[in-house]
Amino acid sequence: MAKTPRLRPGFRFQWEPVQNAHVLLYPEGMVRLNDSASAILAEVDGQRNIEQIVARLEQKFPEAGPLAVDVCDFLQDALQQHWVILT
Amino acid sequence: MMPVNDQGVGPPLWLLAELTYRCPLQCPYCSNPLDFAQSKDELTTDQWVSVLRQGREMGAAQLGFSGGEPLVRQDLPELIAEARHLGYYSNLITSGIGLTDAKVDAFRDAGLDHIQVSFQASDPELNNAVAGSRKAFEQKLAMARAIKDAGYPMVLNFVIHRHNIHQMSDIISLCERLGADFVELATCQYYGWAFKNREGLMPSAQQLELAEREVNDYRRQLGDSGSAMKLIFVTPDYYEERPKACMNGWGSLFLTVAPDGTALPCHSARLLPIEFPNVSTQSLRSIWYDSPGFNHYRGDQWMPEPCRSCDEKGKDFGGCRCQAYLLTGNADNADPVCDKSPHHDRILAARRAADHATAGLEDLTYRNANNSRLFFRS
C-alpha cells in the first residue's frame, strides 16, 4: 500500500470524446476502459501511493464503501498486463 | 458501445499517414505498390495537417507515420508537433536510416510517442543483403540504443521469411539486449513486392514449425524471468485454414492515406480495381462514411458463396479482399486461405512450392524505382 504506481513509459491515459470513454494508449494499441478502471487510472500520477489513491477514491465515491480491495485487484491486473509499474 | 452512424459504421480509430514512397532501402517484401515509382505526387505539409485535424475530429486516436521512409519528409517534426497538439498517440514506423541522435531527441520534444525500428535480420550480413544497403545494420543498432536512451517505449519489428526464419533465438536475444518492450516477429504477408517474390520468401511448414517452437520456448523463459518484453509472432495467412478478420473489417477502424492523398481502407487496397477517393478533393468524413470505395465491402451483402451462407462471416468478414483479388482475380471471392474456398488449392500449391523452393536472396526482385518501372500499367 506504500508503493507508488505509475504508467509504464510510453503509455498514455486520456479522454476520447468520440468514444465517450477513457482509453489507454500505447505503441500501436488502445484499450477502452470501463468507469472503475478509468477512475483508478485517473489517480495514478506517479506521486500518490496506493494508500493515498484509495483514500482519494473513497472520498470521491463515498457511496461505494471501502475500495482498497477493488483498487488492489485492478492494479494487480494492470501490473500483470504491464500497463503500470510500481516504485 | 462505440458510437456508430445509422448504417452501423463507427469512427476510424486508426489513421495511417504514408507520407512518401521514397525510401533508401530496397526490401523485397515491401508493402508499397509495385508501381510506386509512378506516383510522384506528395501531399503538402498543409494538406497533411488538414488530414490530421479531420481524422482527430472524427475520433482517430492512433496515428502512424509511415512510408516509404517517413524520415525523408523534411516537415516530419512539424507533423509530429501537430499530432501531439491534437491529442494523437503518434507512432513513427521507420527503417532507422536517416535517423540521428539529435532527431530522436527533437521528435520526443515535439511530442512523438513511439518509434518502431524495423530490422531485416539479427546479423549484419543478412540484414544488409535483404535491405539492399551496406551500412543499414550498424545504423539500426545505434538508433535502437538512441531511442531507448531517449526514454521511448521500444518496439522492434522483424519481417520473417525463409532466409531469416532460422534466426528466431538470435533475433529475440538481440532484442532483449537492446531492451525492447515489444518485438514483432511478422512473417511476410504476400502483398505488394512480397507477392511478387512469394516463392523466394515463403517459409516451408517445417521451418515455420521450428520457428514457432523457438519463439514459444523463449516466451516461457521470459515469463519465468519476469521480463516485460512481449513477443508477437505473426503466422503467415498461407498456413491457416481460416482467413484473418482483415483490418477488423473493411472500413471499420483503419484509414490509410497514401503519399498522393489517395484514401484507402488498408495500405494494400490500392491494387484493387476500385476507385478510391483523394483527400485533396473530398473531406475525410465524406470519404469515410459516404464514398463508394469505402462502402464497397462494408456489411455482407456483397458476399458470394461460400461466404454468404457461412456462419463465420460475421467473425472473419470473408478474409482479405486483396488476397482474394491477387489469388483469384476477383476481390469479391472468399479469401482462398479459407479451406471452404473453391480456390484453396492455390494456397496448398504455394505451401508445396515452399517445401521445394531453392531461390536465394539474389533471385528476389528488390524494391527500387528501376524495378518499379517494370510494373507501370501502360
Side-chain angles (χ1 to χ4, degrees), chain B residues 210-231:
Chain B
L210 277 172
E212 266 189 296
R213 203 178 308 152
E214 257 184 85
V215 173
N216 286 333
D217 286 349
Y218 219 113
R219 201 176 267 143
R220 219 166 295 129
Q221 284 177 35
L222 290 171
D224 292 346
S225 68
S227 166
M229 186 167 94
K230 193 172 171 195
L231 301 179

Side-chain angles (χ1 to χ4, degrees), chain B residues 66-342:
Chain B
S66 126
E69 174 49 67
L71 289 169
V72 305
R73 283 284 297 216
Q74 297 303 308
D75 54 359
L76 187 56
E78 211 175 322
L79 297 177
I80 289 170
E82 180 67 21
R84 183 69 196 91
H85 168 72
L86 292 168
Y88 280 107
Y89 190 95
S90 57
N91 307 270
L92 174 64
I93 299 154
T94 177
S95 67
I97 309 301
L99 200 56
T100 60
D101 289 15
K103 281 187 190 168
V104 168
D105 290 346
F107 292 165
R108 184 198 52 206
D109 297 344
L112 183 65
D113 291 289
H114 151 233
I115 303 179
Q116 184 205 100
V117 181
S118 62
F119 278 75
Q120 283 73 21
S122 63
D123 69 278
E125 290 74 27
L126 184 55
N127 185 90
N128 296 349
V130 175
S133 161
R134 266 174 301 172
K135 290 179 186 155
F137 190 71
E138 286 309 316
Q139 165 70 9
K140 284 166 188 284
L141 279 186
M143 287 307 109
R145 293 193 185 103
I147 289 163
K148 189 75 191 169
D149 289 346
Y152 290 97
M154 185 147 80
V155 181
L156 299 179
N157 172 281
F158 287 76
V159 176
I160 305 298
H161 44 76
R162 61 182 299 122
H163 306 287
N164 66 1
I165 195 165
H166 60 285
Q167 294 191 325
M168 301 313 268
S169 294
D170 290 344
I171 287 173
I172 301 167
S173 119
L174 173 68
C175 294
E176 218 184 349
R177 286 200 302 281
L178 291 169
D181 296 289
F182 302 87
V183 179
E184 294 176 3
L185 305 161
T187 328
C188 257
Q189 300 284 18
Y190 303 103
Y191 306 99
W193 293 77
F195 185 72
K196 163 83 192 136
N197 285 312
R198 190 182 70 199
E199 279 195 28
L201 291 170
M202 187 165 152
S204 68
Q206 196 188 7
Q207 280 185 306
L208 187 66
E209 196 184 310
L210 277 172
E212 266 189 296
R213 203 178 308 152
E214 257 184 85
V215 173
N216 286 333
D217 286 349
Y218 219 113
R219 201 176 267 143
R220 219 166 295 129
Q221 284 177 35
L222 290 171
D224 292 346
S225 68
S227 166
M229 186 167 94
K230 193 172 171 195
L231 301 179
I232 301 147
F233 185 70
V234 184
T235 48
D237 289 3
Y238 278 58
Y239 285 101
E240 302 286 349
E241 306 302 329
R242 281 290 178 276
K244 63 187 169 209
C246 195
M247 307 317 278
N248 202 44
W250 178 274
S252 125
L253 289 176
F254 291 88
L255 173 56
T256 298
V257 179
D260 65 354
T262 304
L264 302 163
C266 84
H267 55 277
S268 291
R270 198 168 195 150
L271 62 85
L272 298 173
I274 292 175
E275 199 162 325
F276 289 107
N278 193 294
V279 298
S280 58
T281 54
Q282 210 175 330
S283 76
L284 213 53
R285 188 173 291 277
S286 85
I287 284 173
W288 179 258
Y289 290 104
D290 306 327
S291 73
F294 274 78
N295 282 313
H296 203 102
Y297 289 118
R298 282 187 175 134
D300 55 19
Q301 289 308 303
W302 54 271
M303 286 180 183
E305 291 296 346
C307 295
R308 180 175 282 274
S309 59
C310 180
D311 58 5
E312 293 175 55
K313 67 180 172 186
K315 197 172 90 182
D316 58 33
F317 318 110
C320 171
R321 296 305 89 226
C322 300
Q323 202 141 263
Y325 180 70
L326 285 170
L327 290 170
T328 76
N330 181 350
D332 296 357
N333 282 333
D335 185 337
V337 162
C338 186
D339 67 5
K340 296 180 184 177
S341 155

Side-chain angles (χ1 to χ4, degrees), chain A residues 13-16 20-24 31-34 38-39 42:
Chain A
F13 170 77
Q14 73 182 27
W15 173 253
E16 284 298 301
N20 194 29
H22 280 96
V23 297
L24 193 60
V31 180
R32 208 152 165 255
L33 300 162
N34 62 24
S38 304

